Amino acid sequence: MSGDWLPATMAAGFSFAKVDDYTVILTFSQPYGTFPLILASWAGRQFAMYPKAYLQQFHKAYNPNIADLIKKEGVETWPALFFKKGPDTWGNPGRWFTELDLPSIYAYVIKQPLGTGTQVTMERNPYYYKVDDRGNQLPYIDKLIGISYQDDQGRILAMLNGDIDLTTQPGDNSVKAMFTDAIKQGKPLQLTSILDDGANSVVLQFNMTDKDAVKREVFADKNFRIGVSYALNRKELIDLLMMVKGFRPGLPAALFTTV
């Protein structure tokens, strides 16, 4: 058993059981109070990455003719086939951008897949489950077109020229400095941080299992940690970490054209 949502030290004692079509019981070997928070973050995505109704045709336990599909798709094993048609690793749920038939609960569904040209076309998912505070179904935009550039320089020039509306991860700090200079010169651009889904961006965490008994006692004292929290100069830390207002180096960023 593996997954971002399950600590390695708890894997041995983990078990789960189906109660009915809508209920499952997960049992952990030790208290796991942050589990609901983990499910609500990126790490919880694995619970919705593998739609059984579609992917079971690529699994030997469900398809007696799996050998025919393996041959047709040009792979050697059924796991290779399965992960060709579905997300293959923790960091690559990207089959939704290449496989037209893979069911999606994302805001958009693919109409022109990645790798079939220089563009990726996506249309709003009519079955997307989120609504805004007025009950309007999201997303608002009907169609998105993504452009695949051959190199970073081409993408940077296109952004500076206003040829594209949005790019994520605009580049390293030197490139971001180029964009901030362009903004100061009046270019219709906006650089902003993407909100992190975690509780904190930077964590100061004391080692409560330090070999030094005195340090262990001090670090384990709740009042000591509260005191350190009060002592931190948060404004100074923010000023040191910020390159521009609303942007933190090292965190995901997005660059928008504003007109």
Side-chain angles (χ1 to χ4, degrees):
M1 173 62 65
S2 63
D4 294 359
W5 54 272
L6 183 64
T9 55
M10 298 171 63
F14 171 75
S15 65
F16 63 93
K18 176 182 176 181
V19 177
D20 54 43
D21 288 344
Y22 304 99
T23 309
V24 62
I25 296 177
L26 287 77
T27 304
F28 301 98
S29 59
Q30 53 188 286
Y32 192 5
T34 58
F35 182 55
L37 174 63
I38 293 295
L39 286 185
S41 71
W42 168 247
R45 72 201 177 283
Q46 292 169 328
F47 282 85
M49 283 174 61
Y50 301 97
K52 179 180 178 180
Y54 172 74
L55 290 175
Q56 65 184 357
Q57 63 182 307
F58 309 116
H59 196 296
K60 72 173 184 178
Y62 298 94
N63 185 357
N65 301 315
I66 193 72
D68 296 335
L69 276 179
I70 292 173
K71 182 178 180 180
K72 179 181 178 181
E73 293 294 332
V75 294
E76 296 183 358
T77 64
W78 76 263
L81 171 68
F82 185 89
F83 291 125
K84 180 180 180 180
K85 295 297 184 178
D88 56 354
T89 69
W90 70 269
N92 184 21
R95 291 295 180 265
W96 273 284
F97 299 101
T98 58
E99 299 297 319
L100 290 176
D101 296 329
L102 182 61
S104 173
I105 60 171
Y106 287 174
Y108 291 91
V109 292
I110 300 300
K111 294 300 179 180
Q112 179 179 339
L114 182 67
T116 58
T118 59
Q119 293 186 349
V120 177
T121 302
M122 296 168 281
E123 294 182 1
R124 68 185 301 274
N125 187 348
Y127 301 103
Y128 190 53
Y129 59 96
K130 289 186 180 181
V131 297
D132 65 14
D133 56 0
R134 296 185 178 182
N136 299 307
Q137 186 187 27
L138 299 174
Y140 300 125
I141 301 173
D142 290 331
K143 185 177 182 179
L144 297 177
I145 297 176
I147 302 174
S148 178
Y149 289 92
Q150 298 301 310
D151 53 60
D152 290 342
Q153 291 302 316
R155 179 170 57 88
I156 291 171
L157 290 174
M159 200 67 219
L160 289 172
N161 289 333
D163 296 334
I164 53 181
D165 300 309
L166 165 69
T167 181
T168 59
Q169 300 291 0
D172 60 22
N173 286 344
S174 63
V175 175
K176 292 167 189 171
M178 181 192 307
F179 286 126
T180 57
D181 289 341
I183 292 170
K184 292 176 182 178
Q185 295 169 11
K187 288 280 189 178
L189 304 173
Q190 179 183 353
L191 185 65
T192 183
S193 292
I194 297 174
L195 294 178
D196 195 350
D197 62 359
N200 298 282
S201 298
V202 179
V203 177
L204 181 61
Q205 187 168 341
F206 296 98
N207 182 8
M208 299 185 191
T209 62
D210 194 287
K211 294 181 179 180
D212 188 314
V214 176
K215 289 182 179 179
R216 284 203 308 271
E217 182 179 358
V218 173
F219 293 162
D221 188 335
K222 178 180 177 181
N223 291 320
F224 166 78
R225 299 195 302 275
I226 292 174
V228 172
S229 180
Y230 278 116
L232 289 175
N233 188 333
R234 285 176 168 77
K235 184 180 184 307
E236 183 178 1
L237 289 173
I238 291 171
D239 291 341
L240 288 171
L241 292 173
M242 295 282 193
M243 277 185 62
V244 295
K245 184 179 180 181
F247 169 67
R248 278 169 281 180
L251 289 182
L255 186 67
F256 300 83
T257 53
T258 56
V259 293

